[in-house]
Amino acid sequence: MVHLWAGIDAGKAHHHCVVIDAEGTRLLSRKIPNDEAALLELLADALKLADGGNLIWATDLNHGGSALLIALLLAHGQDILYIPGRTVHHASRLYRGDGKTDAKDAAVIADQARMRNDLQPLRAGDEISTGLRLLTARRADKAADKTRAVNRLRAQLLEYFPALERAFDYSRSKAALLLLTRHRTPDGIRRAGQARIQAWLKKHGTRSSAAIAATAVEAAKSQHTTVPAQHIGEQIVAALAREILALSDELAELDALISAKVTEHHHATVLLSMPGFGPVLAAEFLGATGGDLSVFENPGRFAGVAGLAPVPKDSGRISGNHHRPRRYDRRLLRVFFLSSLSALKSCMASRTYYDRKRLEGKTHIQAMLSLARRRLNVLWAMLRDGTSYSRPPTQAAPVAA
């Protein structure tokens, strides 16, 4: 039986493929456009070289530019391994030559797949999980855009009206942002007066219009100096306020879409029953795992991928020295950390476990990571058995993210 390994250095417009045999000899090295016809031709040539034997594919990207390649290979029943780009970067130092080319990277990927038996196999996520991965990634982008816009707005207000900058939390208050679209200078707010501002805010359906108007007028009364170029700064502030309001509306629409989509998944009932898991975190979990935990084999392996398994760092007579891993899926770690943080408010079992770890001398972060690992084991068993979380009858309702 012929055993071949095909390494793919994936890119946006092109990939490079190198096929090697059991001795590491290159049998094929080719640059391929990221196009279905070219990829099918590559698959046919590689299968011809294998001559009915085993052919293992490996790639350094598991989504994005390699999505078409992975879908095509899986549709044709091929086995694919995933080698993170960081691993390829460090492994390439062990090979002869200091140069870096796509062909060399593809050869390193193929050779690593040939020698190692600890690489993660790639499997196609189900339709819903893949959609949730795209939606949660979009939501993360929009949330980051909103954070950046709020920071820019605060910085701009600080240039000419510091009292108003510190008066409101612009990341949360829709009424304060709406105020800035019309009244945003000390003299302008004083001329409008509290009553007119309150009436205008109330007309636009904002909450606490009286409190917002009173706070804005108080800030305006504290400053009578006009800073140079105030008229330019206020125009920028108005534009940023409108941008943040639009981003908030987009985030609300995405949250509604994610909440509706996540309930369609067969794991939704189990996930949402877990304290601390709301629709968004459940969607992020499904997007990161593809909706299938069998690829991780056991909860210990899953914890290692999620960054919740300590890594030994022993040397000589020093033993029992553990530290956090450097390579892990940050999406999964975020899901378990945030869900554990939320569970502290709603789950008595989680709060009791956290308090016990603090009494043992652990820091807040250490206790949270211990809790996250414990909850990972519970969630693994729940998904394996298809059972929902049973809450003691005296516990409060969950506060989910």
Side-chain angles (χ1 to χ4, degrees), residues 305-323:
V305 173
L308 293 173
V311 178
K313 194 176 184 180
D314 299 339
S315 179
R317 290 178 292 179
I318 299 175
S319 61
N321 187 16
H322 294 79
H323 64 88

Side-chain angles (χ1 to χ4, degrees), residues 101-115:
T101 64
D102 292 344
K104 179 181 177 181
D105 288 344
V108 170
I109 293 171
D111 202 40
Q112 289 292 300
R114 177 178 68 91
M115 295 187 297

Side-chain angles (χ1 to χ4, degrees), residues 30 32-33 35-47 57 69 72-73 75-76:
R30 183 186 301 172
I32 318 103
D35 179 76
E36 183 174 356
L39 294 174
L40 286 172
E41 182 181 351
L42 171 67
L43 175 61
D45 291 344
L47 290 174
W57 298 79
L69 168 70
L72 189 148
L73 292 176
H76 286 78

Side-chain angles (χ1 to χ4, degrees), residues 147-310:
T147 300
R148 284 192 291 268
V150 169
N151 290 338
R152 293 191 192 105
L153 182 143
R154 301 191 76 99
Q156 196 63 52
L157 270 176
L158 200 59
E159 290 279 348
Y160 73 92
F161 198 173
L164 192 62
E165 183 274 334
R166 60 177 177 265
F168 302 110
D169 182 358
Y170 296 102
S171 63
R172 296 177 180 272
S173 176
K174 181 178 180 180
L177 290 169
L178 190 62
L179 170 72
L180 293 180
T181 62
R182 182 160 183 169
H183 306 288
R184 49 196 172 269
T185 62
D187 51 340
I189 292 176
R190 287 195 301 270
R191 283 197 305 270
Q194 181 174 338
R196 288 176 60 188
I197 293 175
Q198 179 181 345
W200 185 79
L201 289 174
K202 187 175 181 180
K203 178 181 177 182
H204 287 79
T206 60
R207 299 179 181 178
S208 305
S209 56
I212 295 292
T215 303
V217 170
E218 182 180 353
K221 290 179 179 179
S222 69
Q223 178 178 331
H224 293 268
T225 302
T226 300
V227 177
Q230 174 181 284
H231 64 288
I232 296 178
E234 67 160 313
Q235 293 174 23
I236 297 174
V237 165
L240 287 170
R242 287 190 288 269
E243 180 183 343
I244 296 168
L245 287 170
L247 287 169
S248 298
D249 291 340
E250 289 187 55
L251 283 169
E253 292 176 3
L254 281 171
D255 285 345
L257 185 57
I258 289 171
S259 298
K261 193 71 176 176
V262 76
T263 57
E264 299 175 10
H265 198 276
H266 61 280
H267 285 325
T269 302
V270 175
L271 280 172
L272 294 176
S273 71
M274 184 75 169
F277 269 87
V280 174
L281 287 181
E284 291 185 8
F285 175 86
L286 292 171
T289 60
D292 181 15
L293 296 187
S294 62
V295 69
F296 300 106
E297 300 176 1
N298 55 66
R301 170 65 175 163
F302 186 38
V305 173
L308 293 173

